[in-house]
Amino acid sequence: MPLHTSLVPTIVIGIVLAFAFGAVAHRLKASPLVGYLLAGVVIGPFTPGFVADQTIANELSEIGIILLMFGVGLQFSLQELLSVRAIAVPGAIAQIVVASALGAGLARLLAWPLGGGLVFGIALSVASTVVVLRSLQERRLLDTERGRIAVGWLVVEDLVMVLVLVFLPALGDLTQGLRGLDFWTVALPLAITLGKFATFIALMWFVGRRVIPWLLHYVAHTGSRELFRLAVLAIALGVAYGAATLFEVSFALGAFFAGMILSESTLSQRAAQETLPLRDAFAVLFFVSIGMLFNPSVIMTHPVALLATLLIVTVGKAVAAYGMMRLFRYPQSTALMIAASRAQAGEFSFILAGLGVTLGLLPPIGRDLILSAALISIVLTPFLFAAADWIHAHHEPAKTPEAAAAPPAEPPTRHPVPITRLTNHVVLVGYGRVGSVIGAALIEAKMPLLVIESDEDIVETLRKQALDALNGNAADPELARAANYPAARCLLVAVPDGFEGGQIVEQARAISPSLPIIARSHSDEETAHLQRHGASKVIMGEQLIAHAMIEDARAAVAFSAASGANSATPLSTTSTDGATVEPPRGS
């Protein structure tokens, strides 16, 4: 059947090439992200061969951004977001001001008009939501304070960019002499935008907070996994689209707030798991769409301007972020991680650049420089994060008395003093439905127990019961060291995600090669993954359920055969020695 649209070829060829180049990049010990971007360059309009539809690719990538921000929102609460406002708000604003000033200065050197310089600088000042969140998730940092600061910073940047998009048309009219910039020209759009945003927040808080969890619980009770998955997607996409259409809030912010509202529900983790496959697939299309924007000729025609633009993005912004973090007396390792998360340009950069050219504010070469610097900086981001990780693991300075007196940059549970005293203990990671049962049995047996749990409320409850508990992700090297694995009796990994459990097992095995590690899985793939990373034993829940049902069936058959009490004819089964047990014949 002939194809009359470019939708299917764009999706198919984009994903196939992304897989191919991503696999090669992984084989070469580079991030698969590099391969995704290269796939976009190959199918872009600036290279020979097949050219994918850029508009369709961008729209598909928006779905990935929506699902990604929805998933992040599921891991946050409003209280967690507000807890980092003291650094996220001034830090984001200061970094935007510094980057905008540097961009405007470069534009001045290139003899661009003032309006073009402002658009150029502001476009460079915002980081990529997708890149930062993917990097944080790969390093299991979203549950840490560093992760919360990075996400809070992103939210503030997005809000500022929404306001900038409102003012750009007025700035374009002003520079073209169509009208003066009076008070109402500035105040009225600002008031309308802030009013719409406040209305959206109020609607989500007072209506969505009740309706969204109720709807998801109702669907969950139908017992249909397909319908539940569809409900999660409908909530994420529907709220994001409604936020953008009715309230002029970005897709990303709308999805983030929808996820944050739903995070209060007990079904939030299941909702996150249901969106994961689609989220990853569409996130790949985002990177492909970015690669399609890259014009390699810019490297040859404007090498100096491109290098200066890249330095603003990767060095200027990072230095500004690092300086703000140190000014607020955060540790060097935390400041470096936040700096690495700022060192790229993102989705709003492309929107601002396109609108600036359309309004006649930004020359076309400015858009090309922004897009080229963005792609190169995205390629460099994994290496910057790796450098920050290495420094965090090897060069964290000891706390001085002055630093100890300052507000802690890491959660209080990170202090190792009570942890290093535990010996011959059991480390239990995850205290949910499975972990809490295990923990209760260990407590009843009076066995020394250390719990590592990402839910702060659970950790606080355990501490009130005089139990040792750490808050955070056990894959974090700092928490792995604090658990004192060399002196532990064994490690029990009870988190529901077997692939996340693999990271935890890997950390523990590297610290203690002889430690017995028992992990939980839900599939053969998760079992193999955990075993590859060093688990001593892996228990699959479905197999245990099957064995328990078989044993109960054997007992029922044996009882029925002995008493003749059951008139129904039971099915034959297999005994423990492998012989077939036939149902009784006759009464």
Side-chain angles (χ1 to χ4, degrees):
M1 182 179 70
L3 296 174
H4 300 289
T5 68
S6 55
L7 173 62
V8 174
T10 298
I11 295 176
V12 172
I13 298 178
I15 289 180
V16 169
L17 287 180
F19 165 72
F21 285 112
V24 172
H26 181 74
R27 180 70 176 175
L28 298 175
K29 306 299 182 182
S31 171
L33 182 149
V34 177
Y36 307 155
L37 293 169
L38 184 58
V41 175
V42 171
I43 63 175
F46 305 104
T47 53
F50 172 78
V51 177
D53 191 311
Q54 179 69 60
T55 302
I56 289 177
N58 288 337
E59 291 181 354
L60 291 173
S61 71
E62 286 285 1
I63 299 178
I65 295 173
I66 290 171
L67 296 178
L68 184 66
M69 290 300 289
F70 179 73
V72 172
L74 287 171
Q75 302 180 44
F76 272 76
S77 67
L78 185 60
Q79 289 74 21
E80 289 178 337
L81 196 61
L82 293 176
S83 69
V84 297
R85 67 184 183 278
I87 178 62
V89 175
I93 293 175
Q95 178 232 289
I96 289 172
V97 170
V98 170
S100 300
L102 292 173
L106 176 59
R108 184 68 175 172
L109 293 176
L110 296 173
W112 296 353
L114 177 61
L118 290 175
V119 174
F120 184 70
I122 294 173
L124 296 178
S125 70
V126 61
S128 170
T129 298
V130 176
V131 174
V132 173
L133 294 181
R134 284 288 292 267
S135 299
L136 292 174
Q137 287 175 336
E138 288 174 358
R139 289 159 179 79
R140 304 299 191 270
L141 291 175
L142 278 176
D143 292 330
T144 66
E145 188 179 35
R146 288 176 286 163
R148 288 192 287 271
I149 292 173
V151 173
W153 206 303
L154 285 173
V155 171
V156 175
E157 282 186 349
D158 283 358
L159 289 174
V160 172
M161 292 306 117
V162 169
L163 296 177
V164 170
L165 289 174
V166 173
F167 287 125
L168 271 188
L171 182 61
D173 289 346
L174 176 65
T175 57
Q176 296 176 23
L178 298 182
R179 65 185 182 196
L181 190 62
D182 56 22
F183 172 78
W184 290 109
T185 302
V186 176
L188 188 58
L190 177 61
I192 292 175
T193 300
L194 291 178
K196 288 181 177 181
F197 180 72
T199 302
F200 170 72
I201 295 298
L203 188 65
M204 290 298 295
W205 184 256
F206 293 106
V207 179
R209 194 180 179 191
R210 293 169 174 79
V211 173
I212 292 176
W214 171 85
L215 177 62
L216 209 58
H217 278 271
Y218 172 79
V219 175
H221 281 91
T222 64
S224 171
R225 182 173 183 179
E226 178 182 346
L227 197 58
F228 182 85
R229 183 183 296 118
L230 189 60
V232 174
L233 293 175
I235 290 171
L237 299 176
V239 172
Y241 182 77
T245 304
L246 301 177
F247 303 100
E248 297 184 6
V249 178
S250 69
F251 286 124
L253 276 179
F256 176 77
F257 281 107
M260 198 162 58
I261 292 298
L262 189 55
S263 67
E264 300 180 8
S265 169
T266 56
L267 294 171
S268 60
Q269 291 304 314
R270 182 181 171 190
Q273 292 173 359
E274 294 295 343
T275 59
L276 185 61
L278 273 179
R279 185 187 72 190
D280 288 345
F282 281 102
V284 167
L285 289 176
F286 165 79
F287 292 110
V288 173
S289 70
I290 298 304
M292 293 173 63
L293 298 172
F294 181 59
N295 185 356
S297 66
V298 175
I299 299 176
M300 303 300 297
T301 58
H302 298 83
V304 177
L306 176 58
L307 178 61
T309 304
L310 184 61
L311 289 175
I312 292 174
V313 173
T314 58
V315 179
K317 290 168 60 178
V319 169
Y322 178 85
M324 286 299 297
M325 293 296 294
R326 296 297 282 169
L327 182 64
F328 278 73
R329 307 181 74 177
Y330 281 83
Q332 175 178 291
S333 56
T334 302
L336 285 170
M337 198 284 293
I338 298 298
S341 71
R342 304 297 99 198
Q344 80 288 134
E347 303 78 42
F348 272 107
S349 302
F350 315 135
I351 297 173
L352 288 170
L355 183 58
V357 172
T358 301
L359 295 173
L361 293 170
L362 184 68
I365 183 59
R367 176 184 56 195
D368 293 338
L369 290 174
I370 291 171
L371 298 178
S372 300
L375 185 140
I376 297 173
S377 65
I378 289 173
V379 171
L380 295 176
T381 295
F383 302 100
L384 296 176
F385 266 98
D389 289 342
W390 187 85
I391 294 173
H392 174 66
H394 297 87
H395 290 77
E396 178 66 15
K399 290 188 176 180
T400 63
E402 292 79 12
E410 295 292 336
T413 57
R414 301 258 177 185
H415 293 303
V417 176
I419 305 306
T420 54
R421 297 177 183 176
L422 284 175
T423 58
N424 202 30
H425 59 292
V426 175
V427 180
L428 173 60
V429 179
Y431 210 78
R433 291 180 300 173
V434 174
S436 59
V437 176
I438 299 172
L442 294 174
I443 293 169
E444 185 177 355
K446 301 188 182 304
M447 189 172 295
L449 175 65
L450 169 66
V451 176
I452 302 179
E453 168 60 47
S454 60
D455 191 313
E456 291 183 4
D457 294 333
I458 293 177
V459 171
E460 192 63 30
T461 301
L462 292 173
R463 287 177 177 165
K464 289 179 181 178
Q465 299 172 7
L467 296 174
D468 291 280
L470 287 174
N471 177 228
N473 194 304
D476 189 326
E478 184 177 349
L479 279 183
R481 289 193 300 272
N484 196 12
Y485 288 133
R489 183 178 298 182
C490 71
L491 168 63
L492 306 177
V493 182
V495 294
D497 188 340
F499 295 102
E500 179 182 350
Q503 302 297 320
I504 299 168
V505 170
E506 184 178 30
Q507 288 284 348
R509 183 58 70 212
I511 295 173
S512 179
S514 61
L515 178 68
I517 302 176
I518 304 172
R520 165 192 179 192
S521 77
H522 291 289
S523 66
D524 293 333
E525 291 79 7
E526 288 185 356
T527 299
H529 178 78
L530 289 161
Q531 290 173 338
R532 275 197 309 271
H533 285 76
S536 309
K537 184 176 182 179
V538 181
I539 299 174
M540 189 188 302
E542 287 77 2
Q543 288 182 345
L544 287 181
I545 293 172
H547 289 314
M549 294 180 70
I550 290 172
E551 291 301 320
D552 285 345
R554 289 172 182 161
V557 169
F559 175 80
S560 178
S563 64
N566 191 351
S567 60
T569 303
L571 296 174
S572 63
T573 186
T574 304
S575 66
T576 54
D577 58 3
T580 301
V581 178
E582 295 293 340
R585 302 183 183 278
S587 57

